[in-house]
Amino acid sequence: MAIRASQIKSPTNVGKDVTIRGWVYRLRRQKENAFVLVRDDRGGVIQCVFPAEKVSGLTIESSVEVTGTVSQDARAPEGGYEIKGKIINVYSTAGTDYPIGEFQSDELLLDKRHLTLRTRKMIAMAKIRATVLELGRRWFVENDWMEVTAPTIVKGAVEGGSTLFKLNYFDEEAYLSQSAQLYLEAMIFSLGPVWSLTPSFRAEKSRTVRHLAEFSHLEAEAPWITLEEILQVQEQLVSYMIQNTIKARAQELAYLKRDTSELKKVVPPFERLPYPQAIETLRSKGFTITQEDGGKREIKLGDDLNIDSERELTKDATKPIFVIGYPISVKPFYVKEDPVHRGVGLAADMLAPAGFGEITSGGLREDDIVSITDRIKNEGLNPASYDWYLDLRRYGSVPHGGFGLGIERLMRWITNADDIKDTVLFPRTMSRVAP
Ligand code: 4AD
Ligand code: MG
């Protein structure tokens, strides 16, 4: 392997000959010399200076190997080091019509995402993403949760039928999984606390800055856990991921112009805001919701929260807020009903501050066979399709619960990205399934 730009930029290398491989990132020709900025395979950039005639046919994004002598020159971009080039081998000369330049529409950048991945913004995003995923895994490993994977081709809905992707599965109908939860619930009986990172799919018919059709879903489930313990796991996990990401990826976050001083404040505990109080706060601000007929009315107890009400609740917050105790009527069939306060679900969502909105949903699961069968029926679902899931309530049911965290939602907050599409390498949305 050739060495990378970052390994070259050190006073001890001055005067030494090095070889670097990469792609032509910028090219500036003067009468005598040409300045070739080479981007290595991790996005590091270093200037290589050649006599102009030596690189006459070179084009942007050609792949090259450069050998030369390291020198220090305050004028050199990217940290004051450059390579006085001696040899340049071109692996492949790129066509002169390379479509990504300095000013492009967002649409073109998405159409050419396979090339956009070479931009500094996407390289920074990819590195932050890798770190976020690594830290999530590390937190679970260090806290004795077992990693599992669940199938993504399934027979039943978890989060409602309206966002299911249908699939021809040999001779029967199947769906793409919306959540691994039901499978994780099966696993806790023999594996204890488990977690998974798998893609989840939602046929979201809305175009918003926080919905993808395919997203990376970090989910966890444990037996004999209380709602408060589930919240503690989430606030510790999210704080750990954020505090370590801002340390490990300070450079990339700075490149994205993310002010991390706000993120430094994200440490446990997070506020617990009872749902009725959330509604009361919104009402006191005169918050209205749009009805199906287009008319507006004041928000009231029983309404679900949406992107706008979540923004209103969190716009001045510096830390996430848990909204707890949503009505079971706005939550899926599996949410456990509070035995004391009927109609109240033992469930909570974590809302990220500054308007980023929901990043996790979780809570206790209905563990009683009669109640859950009723809830499945009430949601218009067929209990027969959930027979295996009901077995978990028939044979040694235990109180249990867990949560799901959307990696791209978390990434959007950490990077302060306008659009969730920016946080994933190849986004899938209602209007985009290629490249
Ligand atoms: O709130 P959701 O739908 O909850 C579940 O799926 C539970 N079964 C999870 C569990 O308890 N194991 O999804 C969980 C999280 C959301 O809070 C959000 O962060 C993310 O997944 N999410 C999406 N992210 C991007 N695009 C979408 N369309 C998303 N839908 C959910
Ligand atoms: Mg949710």
Side-chain angles (χ1 to χ4, degrees), residues 158-159 163 178-182 184-185 196 200-204 206 208-221 331-332 334 348-350 357-363 365 401-410 420 428:
V158 194
E159 301 298 325
T163 62
Q178 297 167 310
S179 160
Q181 181 193 320
L182 306 191
L184 300 194
E185 285 187 61
S196 63
S200 281
F201 303 87
R202 306 281 170 102
E204 298 281 358
S206 52
T208 78
V209 295
R210 61 176 201 169
H211 285 100
L212 292 167
E214 175 178 2
F215 66 97
S216 298
H217 206 169
L218 187 68
E219 294 178 89
E221 196 73 25
K331 285 287 177 192
Y334 55 73
D349 285 1
M350 186 197 294
E358 178 191 330
I359 55 171
T360 79
S361 277
R365 319 307 189 187
F403 66 91
L405 163 75
I407 291 292
E408 290 80 9
R409 293 267 180 100
L410 176 65
I420 196 165
R428 293 289 176 261

Side-chain angles (χ1 to χ4, degrees), residues 210-366:
R210 61 176 201 169
H211 285 100
L212 292 167
E214 175 178 2
F215 66 97
S216 298
H217 206 169
L218 187 68
E219 294 178 89
E221 196 73 25
W224 295 293
I225 196 167
T226 63
L227 182 57
E228 175 54 27
E229 286 166 338
I230 293 168
L231 303 187
Q232 286 171 14
V233 168
Q234 293 179 59
E235 64 192 2
Q236 284 169 28
L237 168 71
V238 166
S239 302
Y240 177 89
M241 290 167 93
I242 288 185
Q243 293 313 319
N244 288 296
T245 299
I246 61 181
K247 278 187 216 136
R249 291 298 176 197
Q251 221 180 316
E252 287 75 18
L253 288 162
Y255 181 77
L256 297 174
K257 300 195 168 62
R258 175 49 152 144
D259 172 9
T260 54
S261 61
E262 285 296 303
L263 294 175
K264 285 204 181 91
K265 299 176 190 158
V266 180
V267 289
F270 301 166
E271 183 189 345
R272 278 95 168 121
L273 178 66
Y275 163 86
Q277 219 169 296
I279 297 294
E280 194 40 53
T281 304
L282 291 167
R283 284 178 71 88
S284 72
K285 293 179 177 180
F287 190 85
T288 57
I289 59 171
T290 309
Q291 290 168 289
E292 277 190 10
D293 64 8
K296 290 195 181 251
R297 67 159 169 81
E298 206 175 347
I299 194 165
K300 60 175 172 28
L301 281 175
D303 288 334
D304 201 359
L305 299 183
N306 64 14
I307 191 162
D308 299 319
S309 45
E310 288 176 5
R311 186 180 304 118
E312 185 63 38
L313 287 171
T314 62
K315 64 178 202 254
D316 301 322
T318 51
K319 292 207 265 183
I321 297 173
F322 285 115
V323 175
I324 57 174
Y326 285 82
I328 54 167
S329 53
V330 302
K331 285 287 177 192
F333 65 86
Y334 55 73
V335 168
K336 189 174 172 66
E337 188 174 8
D338 187 330
V340 182
H341 305 99
R342 304 309 290 182
V344 174
L346 296 172
D349 285 1
M350 186 197 294
L351 311 184
F356 284 98
E358 178 191 330
I359 55 171
T360 79
S361 277
L364 297 183
R365 319 307 189 187
E366 184 51 73

Side-chain angles (χ1 to χ4, degrees), residues 61-240:
E61 288 303 321
S62 292
S63 44
V64 295
E65 180 182 80
V66 170
T67 300
T69 313
V70 178
S71 78
Q72 218 169 351
D73 185 329
R75 290 166 303 172
E78 309 291 332
Y81 288 89
E82 63 184 18
I83 297 175
K84 302 268 184 236
K86 291 181 178 167
I87 308 167
I88 180 163
N89 290 319
V90 178
Y91 289 94
S92 171
T93 300
T96 51
D97 54 352
Y98 187 68
I100 314 286
E102 259 181 74
F103 304 102
Q104 257 83 46
S105 71
D106 291 345
E107 274 309 292
L108 182 116
L109 290 172
L110 285 163
D111 289 342
K112 303 284 178 194
R113 192 60 155 222
H114 49 292
L115 301 176
T116 307
L117 295 186
R118 303 182 193 186
T119 61
R120 290 198 144 176
K121 178 179 169 183
M122 283 312 299
I123 295 168
M125 279 290 181
K127 288 183 178 179
I128 296 165
R129 196 179 153 90
T131 298
V132 163
L133 294 175
E134 181 188 333
L135 289 165
R137 174 167 281 115
R138 199 186 299 162
W139 189 90
F140 280 114
V141 169
E142 283 175 5
N143 289 278
D144 195 26
W145 292 65
M146 188 193 274
E147 181 168 3
V148 293
T149 53
T152 48
I153 301 175
V154 299
K155 282 296 280 183
V158 194
E159 301 298 325
S162 66
T163 62
L164 271 182
F165 276 112
K166 242 185 245 168
L167 176 80
N168 289 327
Y169 189 73
F170 303 103
D171 292 331
E172 58 181 309
E173 190 173 276
Y175 309 104
L176 293 177
S177 169
Q178 297 167 310
S179 160
Q181 181 193 320
L182 306 191
Y183 292 92
L184 300 194
E185 285 187 61
M187 294 172 188
I188 60 164
F189 290 78
S190 52
L191 305 176
V194 292
W195 71 280
S196 63
L197 174 63
T198 44
S200 281
F201 303 87
R202 306 281 170 102
E204 298 281 358
K205 303 247 164 48
S206 52
R207 281 169 226 258
T208 78
V209 295
R210 61 176 201 169
H211 285 100
L212 292 167
E214 175 178 2
F215 66 97
S216 298
H217 206 169
L218 187 68
E219 294 178 89
E221 196 73 25
W224 295 293
I225 196 167
T226 63
L227 182 57
E228 175 54 27
E229 286 166 338
I230 293 168
L231 303 187
Q232 286 171 14
V233 168
Q234 293 179 59
E235 64 192 2
Q236 284 169 28
L237 168 71
V238 166
S239 302
Y240 177 89

